[in-house]
Amino acid sequence: MGVPVTVSWRGEPRHRLVTIGDSLTQGFQSGAVFLTDLSYPALIARELGCADTFRCPSYNGRGG
């Protein structure tokens, strides 16, 4: 639009990686949500070096 914008970057972003999507984003496999730590957002977080702070749902309890 041709409008100059001055940006002052300070500090760390609150969320380095945020994903929104469908069942593939959540880790849908074999007809169920399973192994969410292997979903593509979790793999991207691991490669970015922020897997220790990346939060994803876990369905490890009885019945999934």
Side-chain angles (χ1 to χ4, degrees), residues 24-54:
L24 292 177
T25 307
Q26 190 175 10
F28 193 83
Q29 298 177 19
S30 302
V33 176
F34 186 66
L35 295 177
T36 55
D37 58 324
L38 296 179
S39 65
Y40 81 83
L43 297 175
I44 292 171
R46 189 176 311 144
E47 293 303 314
L48 287 173
C50 61
D52 55 335
T53 59
F54 181 74

Side-chain angles (χ1 to χ4, degrees), residues 6 13 18 42 46 53 55 57 60:
T6 304
V18 176
R46 189 176 311 144
T53 59
R55 296 182 305 161
N60 297 330

Side-chain angles (χ1 to χ4, degrees), residues 1-37:
M1 302 196 135
V3 178
V5 177
T6 304
V7 179
S8 175
W9 298 102
R10 286 184 245 145
E12 288 284 321
R14 178 180 256 185
H15 303 289
R16 290 181 62 190
L17 174 64
V18 176
T19 57
I20 299 173
D22 56 9
S23 56
L24 292 177
T25 307
Q26 190 175 10
F28 193 83
Q29 298 177 19
S30 302
V33 176
F34 186 66
L35 295 177
T36 55
D37 58 324

